[in-house]
Amino acid sequence: MTEEAKAQSGPGQKYDPAVLDKILGKSDAEMMKEAMYVAVNDQATLDNRLIALDNFEMLVEQVDNAKNMKKIGLWDPIYTLLKHDEDDIKIAAAACTGSAINNDYDTQDTFMELDPLPLFISYLNSSNKSLQNKAVLNISGLLKHNPVAIHRFGVVDGWSALRRALEDTNNINLQRKVTFLLNSLLLSDDITMRPVDGPTSTATGVAIRQETQFPGDREPRTASTEGTVSQALYDHGILDYLLNTLPPNESDLDLQEKALRVVITLTQQTSKRKSNEKGYMTQNVKSKLRECFAEIDKTEQASQGSLENLGITSSEIEQMQDLLG
C-alpha cells in the first residue's frame, strides 16, 4: 500500500500520507468524529442521528477507541446527548457510553469527571423501559471495581433509586439487571484501597481514583472499603425486598435465582464482620436470613428439585446456615 501511495504521489516525491489514508480508508478517530458530528446536528434527521450513534457505539467498543474519546474531545458532546429531549437519542447515547466504559478503568474515570450518576439515576425513574435498562448498564460500568464511584453513588441517593427499580414490576428485565448488579458489587465489596492523597474532581468533590487510592472526602479508617455495599443493602431495605421474592413466594424464576445469589454472597461476605465495622450483620439480619434459608430448605423437602431450579445446591444452603449460626 505504501508503494502504491508513492506511485500516486508522483515520481521522486515522498508519498503523501493523505493518499495512503485514502487507500486504507479513514481512521477510527476520523470516523468517530464524523459520527458525532452527525449525532449532534439538530438539522439531521432522527434516523440519521441514530445511525451515527449506532456506528459510534461499535467503534468505542474497542478499548483504544474508548480511551481516545478524551483526546479528540468527544465526551462533552456525548454527555450533551444524554440530556437530549428525545428519548431515542438518549437511549442511543447511553448505549455508547455504556460500551465505552465497559471494563476500562481509564475511560470509567474520565466519564466520572462529568458526574453522570445523578443523570442515570433520573433515567431509572423514567417510564421508558429502554432508558431504564441503559441506566443500569452505565451505573454498572461506573460502579464495578470503583470504590470512589460507589461512594458518590451513596451521596446522590443511588441505593434508594435501585430499591425503587427493584419494585418496578412493569419491567421484569430491569429487576433482573439490578439484582445481578447488586451481586456483582457485593463480590467486589472487599477491594483494598490505601488512604492516600490524590487529585480531586471539581465535578464530584471526591478524589479521582487511582489503584491505591481512598475516597478523598471520607475519613480513612482501614485499608479497605469493605462493607459499603453490604451496609447499603441493609439501610435501604434492599435485602428485605430480595427476601420477599424468594420461595415460597410466587416470582420470576430467573429473578429468584439472582436474588438468592445476592443473599448467599451477602451472607458469605458479611457474616463474620465485627460490630464496629461497616456492613456488620446484626442479629436481626441473621435471624431474617436463617428464616429465609429454613423456608427454602422446607420448600425443597416438600417438592424435590426446587433448589436445582434456583441454581444452588443443598450443601450451599447448609453452608449458609452454618455461617449464620
Side-chain angles (χ1 to χ4, degrees):
M1 291 180 181
T2 302
E3 291 303 317
E4 185 179 344
K6 287 181 180 178
Q8 290 188 27
S9 300
Q13 297 181 18
K14 183 179 179 180
Y15 76 89
D16 185 350
V19 176
L20 185 57
D21 287 343
K22 183 177 180 181
I23 296 170
L24 293 173
K26 295 175 183 175
S27 68
D28 283 0
E30 285 298 319
M31 289 191 288
M32 288 163 62
K33 287 189 286 187
E34 289 183 5
M36 188 56 63
Y37 178 82
V38 176
V40 299
N41 185 358
D42 289 333
Q43 303 305 311
T45 65
L46 176 60
D47 283 347
N48 283 341
R49 297 177 77 177
L50 295 177
I51 291 170
L53 285 169
D54 187 51
N55 292 337
F56 188 84
E57 181 191 356
M58 288 189 289
L59 287 164
V60 297
E61 285 176 349
Q62 300 179 38
V63 173
D64 289 342
N65 287 342
K67 289 178 183 293
N68 205 23
M69 285 177 63
K70 181 177 181 179
K71 181 179 178 181
I72 58 181
L74 296 180
W75 275 109
D76 284 338
I78 195 71
Y79 190 63
T80 299
L81 293 176
L82 290 172
K83 297 182 285 185
H84 199 274
D85 292 335
E86 176 63 56
D87 277 359
D88 286 345
I89 293 287
K90 289 191 285 191
I91 291 165
C96 295
T97 54
S99 293
I101 62 177
N102 187 35
N103 298 321
D104 180 55
Y105 290 158
D106 292 339
T107 311
Q108 184 187 49
D109 291 343
T110 299
F111 194 22
M112 273 298 294
E113 277 291 287
L114 296 173
D115 196 23
L117 285 171
L119 180 61
F120 290 124
I121 288 171
S122 73
Y123 281 18
L124 285 177
N125 297 325
S126 169
S127 59
N128 188 313
K129 293 181 181 180
S130 295
L131 204 56
Q132 290 177 315
N133 294 336
K134 288 297 184 290
V136 179
L137 171 68
N138 281 270
I139 290 171
S140 175
L142 290 166
L143 297 191
K144 284 192 294 188
H145 310 295
N146 193 339
V148 169
I150 288 176
H151 168 65
R152 177 62 180 163
F153 193 62
V155 170
V156 296
D157 205 24
W159 299 109
S160 295
L162 287 188
R163 166 64 195 264
R164 291 192 297 272
L166 282 173
E167 295 172 340
D168 189 350
T169 55
N170 292 319
N171 192 347
I172 186 65
N173 195 34
L174 177 67
Q175 292 177 304
R176 294 170 183 160
K177 287 177 181 293
V178 170
T179 307
F180 182 82
L181 169 61
L182 291 172
N183 192 58
S184 298
L185 296 179
L186 280 171
L187 291 172
S188 302
D189 203 24
D190 58 356
I191 291 177
T192 299
M193 305 285 282
R194 290 208 312 269
V196 298
D197 294 330
T200 300
S201 163
T202 55
T204 65
V206 299
I208 301 170
R209 185 177 59 79
Q210 295 175 353
E211 292 307 312
T212 57
Q213 199 165 309
F214 195 87
D217 60 347
R218 293 172 60 191
E219 257 336 286
R221 56 174 183 83
T222 69
S224 173
T225 58
E226 180 178 317
T228 302
V229 178
S230 304
Q231 191 65 50
L233 266 60
Y234 301 148
D235 293 345
H236 295 275
I238 294 173
L239 174 61
D240 291 334
Y241 180 84
L242 293 174
L243 292 178
N244 288 334
T245 68
L246 297 178
N249 297 304
E250 292 295 326
S251 182
D252 175 79
L253 185 60
D254 188 26
L255 178 60
Q256 283 188 332
E257 180 181 348
K258 288 178 169 58
L260 184 55
R261 188 54 57 187
V262 172
V263 173
I264 289 174
T265 303
L266 180 70
T267 303
Q268 292 170 331
Q269 293 273 27
T270 68
S271 61
K272 296 182 180 179
R273 288 197 180 113
K274 298 178 181 179
S275 59
N276 62 339
E277 294 177 319
K278 185 172 290 187
Y280 169 68
M281 184 175 283
T282 64
Q283 290 303 317
N284 181 47
V285 173
K286 286 185 178 181
S287 177
K288 290 179 181 179
L289 292 176
R290 277 195 296 267
E291 291 175 7
C292 166
F293 289 123
E295 197 64 47
I296 292 173
D297 195 30
K298 187 190 303 181
T299 303
E300 167 67 9
Q301 293 176 19
S303 58
Q304 293 295 320
S306 63
L307 289 183
E308 184 178 344
N309 290 335
L310 291 172
I312 62 170
T313 64
S314 56
S315 61
E316 274 190 292
I317 296 296
E318 291 174 6
Q319 181 189 34
M320 297 306 105
Q321 291 171 328
D322 289 342
L323 286 175
L324 294 167

